Amino acid sequence: MTITVTGASGHLGHRVIKALLKLTIDDNIRAGVHNPEKLAAFQKLGVQAVQLDYFNNASMDLAFNGTDVLVYIPSKTYNVLKRVAELESVLTAAKKSGC
């Protein structure tokens, strides 16, 4: 089983990853992070880490491939229209990947 957590490098996302590490083996966890410089921190925890941009379909296709459970954590935007577009983008990619 693969659990993909978006926004993993944010405050909430990091807490979700830590909680999942107590519940399942690290091979089951995939951390989706926006900033590629933060990938190494998750790899040190033993989880899969992938670059994920909510507005880049190719990155979401790669991140969501093989995902059984998707935990969507929105970005820290306060622009409502951008948040709606972000959610629509994630939902489209999730549906396409079958997760």
Side-chain angles (χ1 to χ4, degrees):
M1 169 181 281
T2 299
I3 304 166
T4 300
V5 179
T6 70
S9 59
H11 179 73
L12 178 59
H14 193 71
R15 292 181 73 154
V16 169
I17 295 289
K18 290 284 191 176
L20 286 171
L21 284 168
K22 294 177 184 176
L23 299 172
T24 188
I25 60 172
D26 52 8
D27 285 347
N28 289 345
I29 304 168
R30 181 180 299 148
V33 300
H34 181 76
N35 185 343
E37 294 173 1
K38 297 184 179 182
L39 293 171
F42 291 97
Q43 292 166 342
K44 287 180 185 176
L45 291 174
V47 302
Q48 303 171 47
V50 294
Q51 199 278 331
L52 189 150
D53 182 329
Y54 292 131
F55 295 103
N56 180 315
N57 293 337
S59 77
M60 286 192 295
D61 289 346
L62 289 172
F64 296 169
N65 186 37
T67 295
D68 299 298
V69 176
L70 177 63
V71 179
Y72 165 62
I73 299 175
S75 67
K76 189 178 176 179
T77 183
Y78 299 104
N79 179 316
V80 175
L81 292 177
K82 188 171 182 181
R83 176 68 58 83
V84 170
E86 172 185 298
L87 177 59
E88 288 176 341
S89 181
V90 170
L91 291 173
T92 299
K95 183 178 179 182
K96 180 180 176 185
S97 70
C99 60

